[in-house]
Amino acid sequence: MMNILELIPAELIRILIGLVAILVFIALNALILVYVERKVAGFIQRRPGPYEVGPWGILQTLVDAVKLMGKQLFSPTGGDRLLFWAAPLLAFAPLPLLFLSIPVGKNLVAYDANLGLILILAFSGLNVLALCLAGWGSYNKWSLLGAVRSVSQAVAYEIPLLLTVLAVTLMTGTLQLSAIVESQGAWPWQWNWLVQPAGFVIFVICALAETNRAPFDLPEAESELTAGFHTEYSGMGFGLFFLAEYTAMVVVSSMCTILFLGGWKGPGPEILGVVWFFAKVYALVILMMWMRWTFPRVRFDQLLNISWRWLIPLSLFNLLYVALVVKI
Amino acid sequence: MVFNWFHFGIILFLLAGIGFAVFPIIVALLFSPKAKGGAFAQPYECGMTPQGGAWSRIGITYYLYALLFLAFDVDVLYLFPAAVFYKDSIGFAAFWEVFIFVFVLVVAGFYFYRKGVFTWPRKIKM
C-alpha cells in the first residue's frame, strides 16, 4: 500500500488537494456571501434582510440555489444559441484557475507559480469576453448595450490596475505571489499600502470597476438597462454569472491583500496566517458591499473619464514615485 | 516545450471550472419544467413586442477608448519585464529609462485630452 502512495508524485497530490479545496471554497463562499450581502443591504436600509428560512434566514441562499436549478432554461428567439450558452460557462470556467497560485498561508498554495501575478491578470480578462458574448448572443437591446458598456469599462480600468500592480512588482522585483508576501512584514506599517497609498486606493477603485460592482455597475444597471447583459438568462444561466461575480470579488480582494496588505502575514505565530488572510480578504469584501449600498451609481461618461482623466495619470505618477523610492 | 506541473495544473483547473459550471446546467435540464408556445422566448423589452432586431448598427462612441486601450496596454506589458529586473539594476540609469518611457505615455494621454477625446458629447478638434 505504501509503495503505491510513494509512486504518486507529491506535486500531483498537492494540485489535486488544492483543486478540491478551491472548488469547495467557491461553492461555500458564494452561499455565504450572497447571504451576507443581503443582510448588509438590509441593515444599511434599516430592514431585517432575509430571516424566514432557517435561523436568521441562514438557509436562504441554499433554497435560492435549489430554486434556480429548478427553473426552465431557454434561449431567446433570433439569438445565437451557441454564444448564448458559451457565455455563462466562459464566465465561470477560469475562476478556479485564478486561485491556483494564491497563497492562503505559509506553503498553503496549490502551485506556487513564479508567474502567479501574470496568470491572474491574463485569465481574469476572459470575463470581459464572456459578458461580450452574453450581450451579443441574447439578441436583446438591453443586453447589447450592457455588453458594450462592460467592454469599454473593463478596458478603461484595466490600465490603472495593471499600472498599480506594476508598481508593486517594481518594488519587490518578482511576479511570484508568495515572494511578494514574503517581502512584507508582520505589522501593518510594514505592508506595501503605506509605501504607496495612492496605488492602494487606485487598486481598490479599479477592483470595484473590474468586478462590475456598484457604484460602477453600469453593465447591469437595473434602473436603465433592466438587467444589462444577463437580461435574457433564466435560472442557472443567471446563477452562473452571479456565482462568477461573487467569486471574482474574493479574487480581487485576495489580490489586494497579497499586494498591499501583507497577505497571510500578521502578528502572532505563523499558524494563524490563514486566519489573518481570510480576515483581511473578507474585510475588503465587506467594504465593497458597504460601498455598493452607500454610493449612488455614476453616469457612464463620468465612469470612463474618472479612469482616463484621473486614475491613469495618477497611477503613472505613482509608478514613477515608486521607481524613485526604490532607487533612493 | 517542456510540460511541467504548472501546465498540468492550468489545464486541470480549467477543465474543473468548466465541469463545475456544466453540472448545475445539466441538473436544471433534467429537473426543470419544459413549457412551450406563445411569446415565451421572445427577447425581453419590458413586455412590448420588440421593435426591430438588436443586431442593428448602434452608435459606438467607445471605439476611440478601445484604440487608446490597445496602445496603453501594450506599453504597460513592455514594462513588466523591466519591472522584474528593476530592483537589481545599478545606479539611476534604469530610473531615467523608465521615466522617459512613462513620460511619453503621459504626453500621449495629454495629447488626447487636449484633442477632446475625453469630453462628452464628443467634439474632436482635427
Side-chain angles (χ1 to χ4, degrees):
Chain A
M1 186 63 201
M2 279 307 292
N3 286 332
I4 302 170
L5 271 180
E6 278 163 17
L7 278 177
I8 307 172
E11 290 95 338
L12 181 66
I13 298 174
R14 195 182 183 87
I15 289 175
L16 286 179
I17 291 176
L19 179 66
V20 173
I22 286 165
L23 289 183
V24 170
F25 171 73
I26 288 176
L28 279 181
N29 168 63
L31 282 181
I32 294 167
L33 274 194
V34 174
Y35 171 75
V36 171
E37 167 111 51
R38 293 177 64 178
K39 271 292 182 197
V40 168
F43 289 146
I44 286 178
Q45 295 169 347
R46 302 189 67 187
R47 56 187 173 83
Y51 68 101
E52 286 287 350
V53 191
W56 308 287
I58 245 170
L59 299 176
Q60 182 70 46
T61 359
L62 208 61
V63 177
D64 284 347
V66 172
K67 182 201 74 176
L68 280 178
M69 276 199 249
K71 292 267 181 185
Q72 183 173 359
L73 300 172
F74 67 91
S75 39
T77 43
D80 191 325
R81 281 181 69 94
L82 181 66
L83 295 188
F84 185 79
W85 284 112
L89 298 184
L90 194 61
F92 186 81
L95 287 174
L97 182 53
L98 300 185
F99 286 100
L100 175 63
S101 56
I102 287 182
V104 178
K106 191 169 175 61
N107 290 328
L108 272 178
V109 51
Y111 186 91
D112 197 9
N114 57 357
L115 287 175
L117 208 50
I118 298 281
L119 180 80
I120 293 177
L121 291 174
F123 279 94
S124 57
L126 276 178
N127 187 39
V128 187
L129 184 62
L131 302 194
C132 193
L133 290 188
W136 184 254
S138 293
Y139 199 63
N140 181 317
K141 288 157 199 157
W142 304 128
S143 305
L144 191 58
L145 281 174
V148 168
R149 281 181 175 192
S150 84
V151 171
S152 55
Q153 173 177 339
V155 149
Y157 283 86
E158 186 80 30
I159 298 169
L161 188 82
L162 282 177
L163 284 171
T164 45
V165 169
L166 197 65
V168 175
T169 314
L170 213 60
M171 241 169 61
T172 52
T174 175
L175 295 168
Q176 193 170 6
L177 292 174
S178 57
I180 292 176
V181 173
E182 285 296 343
S183 72
Q184 303 174 63
W187 296 92
W189 55 86
Q190 293 167 325
W191 299 343
N192 282 341
W193 70 285
L194 214 61
V195 185
Q196 35 177 322
F200 176 61
V201 172
I202 292 170
F203 188 92
V204 171
I205 295 174
C206 293
L208 281 175
E210 286 284 316
T211 48
N212 294 333
R213 298 279 303 178
F216 304 116
D217 61 344
L218 269 297
E220 44 186 302
E222 57 266 30
S223 50
E224 32 187 303
L225 288 185
T226 311
F229 59 86
H230 58 62
T231 305
E232 288 295 338
Y233 285 92
S234 66
M236 218 46 223
F238 161 76
L240 284 177
F241 278 119
F242 213 57
L243 198 60
E245 182 185 327
Y246 279 92
T247 314
M249 270 169 76
V250 174
V251 172
V252 291
S253 299
S254 34
M255 256 184 94
C256 190
T257 306
I258 288 165
L259 293 177
F260 294 102
L261 298 178
W264 48 264
K265 291 278 183 81
E270 264 178 358
I271 198 81
L272 278 176
V274 187
V275 180
W276 279 115
F277 183 81
F278 281 108
K280 290 173 197 170
V281 167
Y282 281 103
L284 282 170
V285 169
I286 298 278
L287 180 75
M288 286 167 86
M289 289 177 179
W290 187 6
M291 283 187 187
R292 171 170 180 184
W293 298 104
T294 310
F295 291 131
R297 192 178 291 135
V298 297
R299 219 170 55 209
F300 198 70
D301 58 323
Q302 291 171 338
L303 169 85
L304 285 181
N305 287 338
I306 290 169
S307 172
W308 286 103
R309 276 190 186 169
W310 294 103
L311 293 185
I312 291 177
L314 275 178
S315 51
L316 281 173
F317 286 127
N318 180 50
L319 185 70
L320 286 181
Y321 157 74
V322 172
L324 196 62
V325 165
V326 171
K327 277 300 163 198
I328 294 171
Chain B
M1 174 94 183
V2 185
F3 188 82
N4 62 22
W5 288 109
F6 186 38
H7 302 132
F8 173 77
I10 289 180
I11 294 168
L12 184 75
F13 271 60
L14 265 183
L15 289 179
I18 294 169
F20 196 88
V22 166
F23 172 71
I25 286 188
I26 290 175
V27 171
L29 282 177
L30 289 178
F31 292 104
S32 62
K34 309 240 176 336
K36 272 183 183 166
F40 189 66
Q42 196 178 48
Y44 177 75
E45 220 157 272
C46 309
M48 321 282 269
T49 313
Q51 295 285 322
W55 295 347
S56 55
R57 304 206 298 184
I58 52 171
I60 287 193
T61 45
Y62 311 118
Y63 78 98
L64 269 176
Y65 288 109
L67 285 178
L68 275 177
F69 165 73
L70 217 58
F72 270 79
D73 206 34
V74 172
D75 283 340
V76 173
L77 280 185
Y78 279 136
L79 274 174
F80 264 100
V84 173
F85 183 72
Y86 186 79
K87 218 181 155 198
D88 304 325
S89 62
I90 301 158
F92 263 83
F95 172 74
W96 290 116
E97 278 160 17
V98 170
F99 181 81
I100 291 168
F101 194 88
V102 172
F103 182 73
V104 173
L105 273 181
V106 172
V107 169
F110 188 68
Y111 172 76
F112 286 116
Y113 175 73
R114 287 302 298 268
K115 270 281 192 184
V117 172
F118 304 140
T119 43
W120 287 43
R122 184 166 290 152
K123 299 186 195 79
I124 295 177
K125 301 188 202 87
M126 284 299 163

